Amino acid sequence: MVARTDRTTDPDLRAALLLARRGQAYFSRKLNELANDELDAPSLVPGWTRRHVVAHVGLNARALTRLTEWAATGVETPMYASREERDAEIEYGATQPARALRNLSAHAAVHLNVEWRDLSDEAWRAQVRTAQGRVVPASETVWMRTREVWVHAVDLDNGASFRQFPAELVDALLADVTRLWRTRADAEGVVVPLLEPTDRPAGTAWGAVGPNGDDEGRPSPARPRRRSRAVGDGPGRRPLLTSVAGSPVPPPPRWL
């Protein structure tokens, strides 16, 4: 039986779905504010126009839909056949007429939302594989989409800002960023910054690990404002961080 509302009754998952849907609405609103000829302008993603961003977000919804179908049916349907195929799809998608790009963004989002709505609790727990090769429960697709739509709304570079993000999303992004930084600390010899927000209870922090997986040699704490992001915000991704001494923060490690 096809559900007309989310089949899951898990309160945490329902809250996560709401945040993802709010992000889709935010991205769609910023896209709709752009005239067709404005899609040709550069985005905040190096080397990408706004067309590339819109194509990527739409194709990402299709790719995540393949994972939800995998979870629902048990038939393996990877996000992409290869990284090269993914990149080629985005490049081709960016050449489509503006109307086709807008339809891709809207229709792919609706399809993914319907697939989420109809997943049983058992299917949400089913294991699928991301494009990076991680084996995760299907419920991880919700966070993957949340991250895409909110962050790429800023990348459209027409007024969206990390300062406008819900506080719980900022916290989740900071946790995600620093988690991935920490996994690279040993492999890439990076030092993970210590992020201490100034508008949270004392002791709240993310990150802080040395190149050997310990806390040795940690840099001076950086202090982001609420609704900021470690890699910057707004036109040109202006940095929003300063060290406790007031000096600029060195470029952070790669995130994704």
Side-chain angles (χ1 to χ4, degrees):
M1 179 179 178
V2 177
R4 293 184 179 273
T5 59
D6 292 319
R7 290 182 65 183
T8 183
T9 57
D10 183 299
D12 292 336
L13 182 53
R14 290 173 74 97
L17 285 164
L18 177 60
L19 187 60
R21 289 161 178 157
R22 289 173 62 191
Q24 180 62 53
Y26 186 63
F27 179 86
S28 297
R29 176 163 62 85
K30 301 312 296 181
L31 173 58
N32 290 339
E33 290 173 359
L34 292 168
N36 287 345
D37 61 346
E38 293 178 311
L39 296 178
D40 297 325
S43 74
L44 294 182
V45 180
W48 274 10
T49 66
R50 287 167 171 159
R51 286 177 162 275
H52 287 88
V53 172
V54 177
H56 168 61
V57 170
L59 292 167
N60 171 264
R62 286 185 175 177
L64 293 176
T65 296
R66 289 192 280 273
L67 292 189
T68 62
E69 291 171 344
W70 178 353
T73 65
V75 177
E76 183 172 341
T77 48
M79 293 181 69
Y80 309 100
S82 66
R83 175 75 184 201
E84 292 73 22
E85 179 195 67
R86 168 195 175 274
D87 294 346
E89 280 188 341
I90 294 171
E91 288 297 330
Y92 176 73
T95 69
Q96 298 303 296
R99 182 176 179 181
L101 271 177
R102 295 179 190 276
N103 285 341
L104 168 64
S105 177
H107 295 170
V110 169
H111 188 186
L112 175 59
N113 193 52
V114 169
E115 291 293 327
W116 278 342
R117 183 193 67 189
D118 293 342
L119 280 183
S120 66
D121 285 329
E122 181 181 6
W124 279 115
R125 294 190 292 270
Q127 299 291 295
V128 296
R129 188 174 58 255
T130 72
Q132 290 75 35
R134 293 189 303 128
V135 176
V136 298
S139 57
E140 183 72 8
T141 62
V142 181
W143 171 246
M144 293 166 68
R145 185 61 177 173
T146 300
R147 189 173 57 196
E148 289 288 326
V149 288
W150 283 100
V151 172
H152 283 311
V154 175
D155 287 328
L156 288 175
D157 194 19
N158 68 319
S161 169
F162 292 98
R163 294 183 178 90
Q164 298 168 352
F165 286 12
E168 67 271 22
L169 173 62
V170 175
D171 287 356
L173 284 170
L174 288 171
D176 190 65
V177 169
T178 52
R179 177 182 61 82
L180 291 173
W181 283 350
R182 292 174 74 96
T183 64
R184 297 190 178 104
D186 286 337
E188 301 179 15
V190 300
V191 176
V192 177
L194 174 65
L195 305 179
E196 290 185 334
T198 57
D199 58 350
R200 303 290 199 282
T204 302
W206 293 270
V209 64
N212 299 313
D214 54 32
D215 289 344
E216 295 180 1
R218 71 170 65 178
S220 297
R223 297 182 180 273
R225 294 185 294 274
R226 173 165 284 190
R227 305 181 187 190
S228 66
R229 183 180 174 220
V231 297
D233 183 26
R237 292 185 182 273
R238 293 189 302 270
L240 290 175
L241 302 181
T242 57
S243 71
V244 290
S247 59
V249 175
R254 179 170 56 90
W255 176 18
L256 297 173

